[in-house]
Amino acid sequence: MLRWTIIFIIIAIIAGILGFGGIASGAESIARILFYIFLILFVLSLISRLFRR
């Protein structure tokens, strides 16, 4: 999932440089959502691993 976040960030940067504002903002919002989902899943896996021991 982190890989998809990086891909969408790169798409947003390239689209922003080329002047495609709508595409850049859409890719940026998708990247942000994927990053937060990845972050939440990472924290949950850390907490579950802590309780397994």
Side-chain angles (χ1 to χ4, degrees), residues 20-49:
F20 300 111
I23 295 172
S25 67
E28 183 266 335
S29 64
I30 291 172
R32 183 181 300 159
I33 290 169
L34 287 175
F35 175 74
Y36 287 132
I37 291 172
F38 171 77
L39 193 64
I40 290 169
L41 290 175
F42 177 70
V43 169
L44 288 175
S45 69
L46 285 178
I47 290 171
S48 68
R49 181 170 287 206

